[in-house]
Amino acid sequence: MNCFRYTGKNLIAGNFFPVVGRLKKSGRLFDCVILDPPFFSKTVKGIVDLEYNPLSLINKVRPLVTDGGYLVVVNNSLFLPGKDFLSGIDCLCDDVYLKRETILPVPEDFIGPDPDYLKAYAVSPEPFNHPTKIVILRIARK
């Protein structure tokens, strides 16, 4: 495992799929996992495609979150409507082991003051306020 020391925190550099596999095998749990993958990536280890398969990585990292912990899911796909993404998230949630806590808005100072900014995007990000869609999920373990 490639670990780098930085201000007392461990950073892990590597391909998502083998790193997550090693963490699962180690039994290590985290209070919060932030899942912020690239829009698209293809390697011999796996494919990430946030437009056509936006939820595939959630169940891969869920086992890494401690009971009562959080999974922050970020999707940056410009061409995935916000309603479709949220609908998929809600289908995964059973309100026992996986519960949607909240939608985290992108700060207004990042978006800008233009009231018509949502019209500029290829598809509507609503109910999110930006194509960077952020959802916080609460995890419960058996």
Side-chain angles (χ1 to χ4, degrees):
M1 190 178 303
N2 298 323
C3 292
F4 302 97
R5 182 67 60 188
Y6 180 74
T7 62
K9 303 293 179 189
N10 284 329
L11 302 176
I12 302 169
N15 184 290
F16 172 84
F17 297 101
V19 168
V20 168
R22 285 194 302 267
L23 288 170
K24 284 182 192 178
K25 285 180 186 175
S26 76
R28 190 155 178 208
L29 297 177
F30 301 89
D31 294 328
C32 182
V33 171
I34 299 172
L35 180 60
D36 186 7
F39 168 78
F40 183 85
S41 176
K42 182 177 181 181
T43 70
V44 295
K45 303 291 184 181
I47 296 173
V48 174
D49 187 337
L50 294 187
E51 182 179 355
Y52 294 107
N53 202 357
L55 308 174
S56 66
L57 302 180
I58 292 174
N59 284 330
K60 293 192 183 310
V61 297
R62 256 174 86 174
L64 300 177
V65 182
T66 191
D67 186 45
Y70 294 95
L71 176 57
V72 180
V73 181
V74 181
N75 183 299
N76 292 301
S77 175
L78 287 171
F79 300 103
L80 176 63
K83 287 181 182 177
D84 292 354
F85 178 62
L86 195 58
S87 175
I89 291 284
D90 287 343
C91 284
L92 285 178
C93 293
D94 61 7
D95 289 333
V96 176
Y97 296 107
L98 186 63
K99 179 180 178 184
R100 175 165 52 102
E101 287 285 310
T102 191
I103 292 173
L104 189 63
V106 173
E108 190 174 308
D109 60 345
F110 179 82
I111 296 169
D114 181 5
D116 292 327
Y117 72 92
L118 287 175
K119 295 177 185 174
Y121 300 126
V123 297
S124 172
E126 294 179 298
F128 300 89
N129 69 335
H130 190 269
T132 299
K133 299 168 274 296
I134 307 170
V135 177
I136 299 176
L137 304 174
R138 172 76 75 144
I139 306 293
R141 298 177 64 92
K142 290 182 182 182

